[in-house]
Amino acid sequence: MSANKPSVSEWLQAKFESWRYQKGVKKTLTEFASFIGITEQRLLTFLDGSAQPKSDNLARLGAALGFEIYDLVGISPSMILDSLPPVFRVRLSSAFTEYYETLSDKAYPVDSPEAQVILQEAAHKYKLTDVFTQKTC
């Protein structure tokens, strides 16, 4: 791995070390796996480098610890967006922009109930779920 970019296992180890001492209480690897939403055994394979996160595990790691994990496994955000059907990409971009601007304007934390409502309203307004019920995109 390059000197500028850590390996997945190095990144994950650093995330664990910073997470485990929050609030002055030392937490376990089992608790970390539970926090992420993956099994401890799977987490160990990522930590020792014998496996790379994919699919649901990659999404869980990204959501819990930061989306830079995608770059570490070779997936850029533009690849994710570019692979979506055009109608969904436009709707998602519009919904995200509105969500982000509203959160920023009101200074709501992303994990607040207010942020959840704003996200649901944007998804509904831009008919994100409708794309999946249409025959063609």
Side-chain angles (χ1 to χ4, degrees), residues 67-113:
F67 287 98
E68 64 268 21
I69 184 69
Y70 284 95
D71 185 45
L72 296 177
V73 298
I75 301 173
S76 71
S78 63
M79 288 171 61
I80 295 168
L81 290 174
D82 290 346
S83 68
L84 296 171
V87 69
F88 187 77
R89 192 176 339 153
V90 169
R91 290 179 186 183
L92 179 62
S93 297
S94 298
F96 171 76
T97 301
E98 185 169 310
Y99 167 76
Y100 181 78
E101 289 173 349
T102 304
L103 279 187
S104 296
D105 290 346
K106 297 185 184 253
Y108 291 144
V110 295
D111 58 353
S112 69

Side-chain angles (χ1 to χ4, degrees), residues 4-22:
N4 296 338
K5 188 159 93 169
S7 68
V8 170
S9 61
E10 292 167 334
W11 177 84
L12 194 51
Q13 183 65 42
K15 291 291 186 175
F16 174 57
E17 290 302 325
S18 66
W19 178 87
R20 75 186 303 193
Y21 291 107
Q22 291 178 4

Side-chain angles (χ1 to χ4, degrees), residues 32-49:
F32 188 55
S34 178
F35 167 73
I36 296 168
I38 63 176
T39 67
E40 183 177 359
Q41 184 60 40
R42 179 53 63 191
L43 177 59
L44 288 170
T45 65
F46 301 150
L47 284 167
D48 71 15

Side-chain angles (χ1 to χ4, degrees), residues 106-123:
K106 297 185 184 253
Y108 291 144
V110 295
D111 58 353
S112 69
E114 295 87 357
Q116 183 68 32
V117 169
I118 293 165
L119 183 58
Q120 288 171 346
E121 289 172 351

Side-chain angles (χ1 to χ4, degrees), residues 54-65:
K54 297 179 183 176
S55 303
D56 289 349
N57 291 322
L58 182 59
R60 286 185 179 104
L61 285 163
L65 303 174

